[in-house]
Amino acid sequence: DKLREGRAVLEKRVAERTFELNRLNEELKRMDIARREFLADISHELRTPITVIRGEAEVTLRGQEREAEEYKDALQRIVELSMQLGKYVNDLMFLARTETANLQFEWDSVDLSELVAGVVEDFQVMAEEKSISVALDAPAGPVWVRGDKQRLRQVLFILGDNACRYSNPGGRITVALRMDGSEASFSLTDQGIGIPSEDLERIFKRHFRSRNALHAREDGTGLGLPMAKSILKAHGGRITVTSAENSGSTFTVSLPLLTAGPDHNPSHQK
Ligand code: ADP
């Protein structure tokens, strides 16, 4: 009897292990499919600008003599596409790192007033090309937070880039920086295509793009907002959005204020 009991226990264990192994196997298969899909997506994203850059260069080389102005235009497009490629590569490196290890942040006191003003200036050029006006409403003095300046700039770039890309020509982008109790809040409002209400939650998921965005712009990866979200999470901050389709969107970022000012920054701890 004891033998039979022992055997039953063993058999039960074997069955459990087999079940667990099958489950793991299924999970591995799913992960492999997801990995291949991701690589296919990103290869596609990288291929498009490369193809266009090569096309521009080949046409310029092969064609008959052109006006200096036309050469300049071709070079300008090549520069813009290279920048886009650089952005994709940065995104890829960032995503590769977040998946495997903790992101490294360089903590410091950051003046959001200065950072926001700088980024708005960078975007002025891009906005002008679409005749979009950019207005900045920020306190005169500094707004101190603890953070990684490059990463926070990256967040502003992602939001500013989206606001420009999803705006209609002639639109207006309003950037506002406020101090609200113990928080700094930064918001960016556009008058662009807006986000369908059923997608508001989903736009922070990797690779998600709304149908209206897919229609308006082919060049998107759906990686910007997830990246912004994870950067802000590491800062103890958050990002929210309100939007109405066909009338515009407001993205708001909140970060804990460093109330005592930069000198009282509690050392550069992680
Ligand atoms: P991408 O812009 O490359 O698609 P993001 O992660 O930055 O990737 O954005 C995800 C999606 O969120 C976009 O595809 C679009 O559907 C929506 N979205 C983001 N910003 C805006 C905006 N300012 N106006 C309208 N839709 C936006």
Side-chain angles (χ1 to χ4, degrees):
D1 258 7
K2 268 219 172 119
L3 255 179
R4 210 177 301 148
E5 236 174 66
R7 197 167 155 176
V9 169
L10 267 181
E11 272 171 2
K12 192 169 162 242
R13 272 201 207 142
V14 168
E16 279 168 4
R17 291 283 146 84
T18 312
F19 181 79
E20 180 64 11
L21 273 178
N22 281 340
R23 200 189 58 79
L24 280 175
N25 202 15
E26 284 304 311
E27 199 171 316
L28 274 177
K29 270 192 208 152
R30 260 201 309 276
M31 279 166 64
D32 193 48
I33 291 170
R35 186 182 58 85
R36 258 181 289 163
E37 277 174 2
F38 175 73
L39 286 176
D41 283 359
I42 207 74
S43 308
H44 174 80
E45 300 293 341
L46 292 173
R47 205 169 41 209
T48 314
I50 291 174
T51 310
V52 183
I53 287 173
R54 207 188 51 212
E56 287 282 356
E58 277 177 357
V59 168
T60 310
L61 278 176
R62 255 198 266 114
Q64 298 151 353
E65 281 293 301
R66 294 205 266 174
E67 298 286 319
E69 213 40 49
E70 287 177 83
Y71 283 117
K72 252 192 176 167
D73 282 351
L75 285 175
Q76 181 61 35
R77 281 192 293 275
I78 290 173
V79 167
E80 273 163 24
L81 288 159
S82 308
M83 280 161 62
Q84 181 81 47
L85 270 180
K87 181 176 173 272
Y88 288 150
V89 173
N90 281 342
D91 287 4
L92 267 180
M93 286 184 340
F94 181 90
L95 288 171
R97 260 183 312 214
T98 40
E99 261 177 353
T100 51
N102 281 333
L103 254 190
Q104 294 296 308
F105 284 85
E106 292 192 18
W107 298 103
D108 209 342
S109 310
V110 180
D111 176 5
L112 276 185
S113 275
E114 190 195 315
L115 193 70
V116 168
V119 172
V120 165
E121 209 159 288
D122 289 340
F123 271 97
Q124 217 89 36
V125 186
M126 188 169 162
E128 265 167 28
E129 279 173 12
K130 278 177 88 172
S131 306
I132 295 168
S133 64
V134 186
L136 171 63
D137 176 11
V143 175
W144 294 106
V145 297
R146 196 174 81 92
D148 181 318
K149 192 171 177 180
Q150 298 277 13
R151 298 259 174 232
L152 290 177
R153 185 184 287 126
Q154 195 177 355
V155 171
L156 296 178
F157 259 100
I158 290 166
L159 298 180
D161 189 43
N162 281 346
C164 286
R165 284 167 52 235
Y166 299 118
S167 276
N168 306 309
R172 181 182 177 80
I173 296 173
T174 315
V175 181
L177 178 65
R178 305 238 177 285
M179 286 193 265
D180 189 8
S182 61
E183 282 187 334
S185 83
F186 159 85
S187 72
L188 219 141
T189 303
D190 66 57
Q191 301 175 320
I193 62 171
I195 300 158
S197 55
E198 69 270 23
D199 291 342
L200 283 175
E201 291 292 323
R202 296 199 279 176
I203 55 170
F204 296 99
K205 299 236 154 49
R206 272 186 203 187
H207 289 298
F208 180 81
R209 305 194 67 215
S210 282
R211 51 175 159 70
N212 63 339
L214 285 165
H215 184 74
R217 307 277 314 203
E218 281 181 7
D219 61 336
T221 57
L223 295 176
L225 289 179
M227 191 154 17
K229 192 176 168 179
S230 74
I231 292 173
L232 290 167
K233 195 174 158 210
H235 280 78
R238 61 185 189 280
I239 180 166
T240 54
V241 59
T242 56
S243 183
E245 206 174 346
N246 296 320
S247 71
S249 315
T250 297
F251 283 85
T252 304
V253 165
S254 307
L255 288 164
L257 268 174
L258 202 61
T259 33
D263 294 333
H264 297 265
N265 186 12
S267 69
H268 295 172
Q269 34 176 262
K270 303 237 156 163

